[in-house]
Amino acid sequence: MQPKAFIFDLDGVLTSTDKYHFLAWKQLADRLGLDFTETVNEKLKGVDRLTSLEIILAHNGVSDKFSDSEKAALANEKNEYYKTLILKMTKADILPGIENFLAVLREKGIKTGVASVSKNADTVLSVLNIKNRFDYIADAAKVTKPKPDPEIFALCASELGFEGNDCVGVEDAQSGIEAITAAGMFSVGIGVEVTSVHPRLELGSTAELDFEKICEAYTAWRNSQ
Ligand code: BG6
Ligand code: MG
């Protein structure tokens, strides 16, 4: 049995933008004299911009030191740093095995989608020149609820014309795995730091994406439903 569509998260699945998110937050944290480490950064994966800022401020015990408008300005400042970094990206920023895997899906006639809460998703896909590899792109502008709400994956599946269990969702963040699961899809995790819901199939990196292996696990899951 083959899935009818694959829906990919963007940051940390299709491309290594997670390192640029880290560098941009680090630049802001340094300017403000705040502590920001890779461990804190891990908690920001799949989390929207303003909530990410709240997590950094809370980690430093300074949440109530800034008004809402100051927080919006700080989130915007981070985004300006981030935009200068992503505009310099090249094909080398596409994660290992992704281009080949997308080519395999095209060859098999399987639909592809992107489900990303990033407001920069369109720019990132354009800079990497892979926008035309997807049949539908669901981004922050099209949904109201952040992951782990299933809205963004459910929208992508319905726009592609399929039910949740026809689709495979691929994610690197715990919130994303929860969203895929709640949307009734088969989940593939890429190096996810699992704190609650496990992916149906756990892979160490995108280089391990293997169509036959995923179909095998997907078939077993469908037969068990
Ligand atoms: C997610 C990233 O894909 O997008 C988060 O994993 C990021 O780290 C979020 O905060 C929002 O991105 P942006 O580009 O709108 O700031
Ligand atoms: Mg991600």
Side-chain angles (χ1 to χ4, degrees):
M1 198 185 293
Q2 289 187 356
K4 297 195 172 113
F6 275 68
I7 302 175
F8 298 86
D9 172 46
L10 175 67
D11 297 312
V13 170
L14 295 176
T15 158
S16 54
T17 38
D18 37 356
K19 72 178 179 230
Y20 300 126
H21 278 295
F22 171 79
L23 289 173
W25 283 123
K26 179 79 180 137
Q27 193 167 342
L28 178 74
D30 286 351
R31 187 183 76 67
L32 297 172
L34 299 177
D35 180 63
F36 182 61
T37 58
E38 292 278 3
T39 314
V40 180
N41 189 55
E42 196 56 40
K43 296 189 188 135
L44 311 184
K45 288 189 178 168
V47 175
D48 68 77
R49 199 181 304 161
L50 213 48
T51 312
S52 298
L53 175 69
E54 293 286 4
I55 291 171
I56 296 168
L57 296 180
H59 169 72
N60 285 271
V62 293
S63 299
D64 49 9
K65 295 246 162 24
F66 301 91
S67 67
D68 285 352
S69 65
E70 285 170 332
K71 286 177 184 174
L74 292 176
N76 194 49
E77 183 181 335
K78 177 265 175 175
N79 195 47
E80 291 303 316
Y81 298 145
Y82 181 66
K83 281 197 295 193
T84 62
L85 294 169
I86 57 174
L87 288 177
K88 288 186 238 156
M89 286 195 307
T90 67
K91 286 260 176 207
D93 289 286
I94 300 173
L95 283 165
I98 287 293
E99 288 210 276
N100 179 53
F101 190 65
L102 290 174
V104 170
L105 296 179
R106 268 279 181 269
E107 190 189 293
K108 308 260 179 208
I110 290 165
K111 296 280 183 201
T112 53
V114 175
S116 171
V117 295
S118 170
K119 294 192 169 106
N120 294 293
D122 195 77
T123 308
V124 170
L125 292 166
S126 298
V127 172
L128 297 175
N129 202 18
I130 54 171
K131 216 172 146 180
N132 62 359
R133 310 285 287 271
F134 300 96
D135 299 297
Y136 185 74
I137 296 165
D139 62 18
K142 300 198 177 79
V143 292
T144 55
K145 296 178 216 126
K147 299 170 188 176
D149 192 281
E151 183 185 15
I152 197 161
F153 282 97
L155 169 73
C156 206
S158 80
E159 288 291 330
L160 292 171
F162 302 118
E163 298 294 324
N165 65 0
D166 291 324
C167 306
V168 171
V170 189
E171 261 287 353
D172 69 320
Q174 175 69 79
S175 60
I177 295 298
E178 288 174 35
I180 293 169
T181 307
M185 299 177 184
F186 181 87
S187 59
V188 175
I190 308 289
V192 179
E193 276 207 8
V194 178
T195 51
S196 53
V197 182
H198 276 264
R200 292 273 164 199
L201 182 66
E202 299 192 41
L203 303 177
S205 94
T206 49
E208 293 169 32
L209 283 167
D210 178 300
F211 183 71
E212 302 306 331
K213 186 175 162 185
I214 296 172
C215 283
E216 209 176 288
Y218 172 80
T219 305
W221 174 69
R222 283 297 300 262
N223 289 338
S224 72
Q225 285 186 317

